Amino acid sequence: MKIRVEKNLFRIFFLISLKFYGYTQLSPYVRRLNSNSKTESSCCENVIIIRSDNDTKKSDGYLKEPPVYHELNNYHKSRSPIECIYKFYGQPGERIQIFYESFELYYPFDVNKFNKIDCRYSDSICLKFYEDNQINQKNDSSHSMTVNLNNQNYDLCNCINISFTPRQIISASNFLQIRFRTVRRSFETGQSSVHSRKNYSGYLLRYRFTKDFGFDSIESKALVKNGECNIYFNSTQYQNGYFTTPNYPGLYPRDLECHYFFIGLKNEKVQITFHTFDIEGVNQCGADTKSDYVELSNFQNRDRFYSRFCGVNKPGTIISDGGFFHVTFYSNNVFDGKGFQASFYFLNTSIYFI
């Protein structure tokens, strides 16, 4: 009898500890990296405002589903849906990069009868992108911004993740809005216990305010820090390497023009090889088709010898005429793609061309 009482007391203590741990350690659904500060009970009651800090060590953080998410049941008369709104305000010239560390949201069992993934019928995370011309920034000390918001028109939604984690995303300007929303149970099914939200891990997003357009380390080092997307690879510093579209392997940002300059010595030529290529566009990639595109040139300006490239048909291996080569990437404000990954190599003509 004494042993049974002790076991029951231990079990009660364990459950209380687990509940306390879940609500205190997992409650920072807005949390700075390397920080113990937490935002309590504000998610889904008020809009969460996240502003960039001039201190680069405090420019990253996490977003996590609220603990109450796992308490929602799936019956028709369940409590009201959850909706969380996060608004990110960056410094001028910054963009917000979002990484999906984990992503597993609830979806009704009988959503399969729709034969497609439709976030209207599932819990979802949606992102709304804003261009610079949609933001009016005041010149006072508060750095406040007024944004033309349309909460019903989100550009990208993720839901029903089963086999993959969504790719990283980067904003089109220094403002980004994210909405997390649950659906109210509207279908009768005997599978509700199987599809309880307790069986779904929710989401963990990492955000980063950045001025390097979301480039990887090598492009970031070669990027000229003047607010423009100009990257210089000099053969005296980089004999070979890789270069990509911004935010690769995630979707590249909209409304952006990037220039990659390859500068070699007089006895060198530049070899460019595209390994992956997914640039949104059709036909001849002309302006009338509103296509994104990649241009290649032996000059500072456009080289009429090369046509524009878009779609999924990647260019072959290119060798420059001399020691200079120029690659231009352009994206409009309509659609986006996964971008490209390419390699470059400076060839010594006295060795390779005899």
Side-chain angles (χ1 to χ4, degrees), residues 74 76 108 110-111 113-114 121 184-189:
N74 306 319
H76 183 69
D110 30 11
V111 76
K113 69 182 181 181
F114 295 100
Y121 304 104
R184 186 170 182 175
R185 184 65 181 152
S186 58
F187 304 102
E188 296 296 336
T189 177

Side-chain angles (χ1 to χ4, degrees), residues 65 69 102-108 122-125 158-162 180-182 197 200-204:
E65 81 283 349
Y69 174 69
S102 63
F103 187 81
E104 186 184 35
L105 299 182
Y106 163 83
Y107 67 97
S122 305
D123 296 352
S124 62
I125 287 181
N158 287 309
C159 58
I160 316 183
N161 176 51
I162 299 175
F180 165 61
R181 185 173 66 176
T182 64
R197 286 184 175 88
Y200 291 79
S201 61
Y203 63 86
L204 179 63

Side-chain angles (χ1 to χ4, degrees), residues 68-325:
V68 71
Y69 174 69
H70 300 282
E71 297 179 355
L72 292 180
N73 59 49
N74 306 319
Y75 297 105
H76 183 69
K77 296 182 180 181
S78 64
R79 68 178 72 182
S80 300
I82 293 176
E83 183 173 74
C84 301
I85 301 292
Y86 308 94
K87 294 182 180 180
F88 296 84
Y89 293 86
Q91 301 290 333
E94 285 186 330
R95 293 174 185 251
I96 302 96
Q97 200 170 15
I98 303 295
F99 300 88
Y100 290 81
E101 302 291 338
S102 63
F103 187 81
E104 186 184 35
L105 299 182
Y106 163 83
Y107 67 97
F109 177 80
D110 30 11
V111 76
N112 293 332
K113 69 182 181 181
F114 295 100
N115 294 321
K116 63 179 181 179
I117 296 178
D118 192 331
C119 292
R120 293 178 299 171
Y121 304 104
S122 305
D123 296 352
S124 62
I125 287 181
C126 295
L127 292 83
K128 176 64 181 175
F129 302 98
Y130 296 87
E131 301 171 42
D132 288 329
N133 58 15
Q134 293 178 281
I135 301 175
N136 297 319
Q137 188 154 1
K138 297 180 181 180
N139 293 323
D140 55 16
S141 58
S142 65
H143 298 289
S144 61
M145 289 184 282
T146 57
V147 185
N148 181 21
L149 298 178
N150 181 359
N151 294 343
Q152 305 302 318
N153 183 23
Y154 282 81
D155 295 286
L156 178 65
C157 290
N158 287 309
C159 58
I160 316 183
N161 176 51
I162 299 175
S163 59
F164 68 95
T165 300
R167 293 176 179 270
Q168 64 203 47
I169 297 295
I170 192 167
S171 65
S173 65
N174 61 331
F175 181 81
L176 176 68
Q177 180 168 297
I178 296 179
R179 181 195 68 194
F180 165 61
R181 185 173 66 176
T182 64
V183 290
R184 186 170 182 175
R185 184 65 181 152
S186 58
F187 304 102
E188 296 296 336
T189 177
Q191 302 292 332
S192 58
S193 60
V194 177
H195 278 245
S196 168
R197 286 184 175 88
K198 293 182 179 179
N199 299 325
Y200 291 79
S201 61
Y203 63 86
L204 179 63
L205 308 184
R206 179 168 64 89
Y207 64 84
R208 182 172 79 100
F209 291 94
T210 178
K211 289 187 177 182
D212 63 4
F213 302 96
F215 279 118
D216 206 346
S217 57
I218 183 172
E219 292 102 336
S220 181
K221 292 179 181 178
L223 181 69
V224 178
K225 310 296 183 181
N226 60 355
E228 298 180 356
C229 188
N230 296 328
I231 303 173
Y232 290 84
F233 295 106
N234 196 306
S235 65
T236 58
Q237 294 178 293
Y238 307 95
Q239 190 63 38
N240 59 76
Y242 288 87
F243 66 103
T244 67
T245 44
N247 195 51
Y248 186 87
L251 299 177
Y252 53 73
R254 301 178 184 179
D255 197 23
L256 183 64
E257 185 171 322
C258 291
H259 298 272
Y260 308 80
F261 299 99
F262 301 87
I263 305 172
L265 302 176
K266 292 182 179 181
N267 63 333
E268 291 180 330
K269 291 188 176 183
V270 188
Q271 177 179 291
I272 304 290
T273 303
F274 287 87
H275 303 283
T276 61
F277 197 84
D278 178 23
I279 306 297
E280 192 281 323
V282 294
N283 298 330
Q284 300 300 317
C285 317
D288 56 330
T289 63
K290 295 184 178 181
S291 296
D292 302 337
Y293 60 82
V294 169
E295 281 185 348
L296 309 174
S297 177
N298 285 290
F299 314 105
Q300 288 279 356
N301 300 319
R302 184 177 180 182
D303 189 342
R304 297 185 181 275
F305 177 78
Y306 293 104
S307 59
R308 290 177 174 176
F309 296 90
C310 63
V312 295
N313 296 320
K314 60 185 178 183
T317 298
I318 301 103
I319 298 179
S320 65
D321 292 343
F324 176 85
F325 203 71

Side-chain angles (χ1 to χ4, degrees), residues 21-40:
Y21 179 83
Y23 273 77
T24 58
Q25 298 301 319
L26 298 183
S27 59
Y29 12 98
V30 178
R31 182 180 63 191
R32 293 286 189 186
L33 287 173
N34 302 320
S35 173
N36 294 321
S37 63
K38 303 171 184 177
T39 299
E40 299 289 348

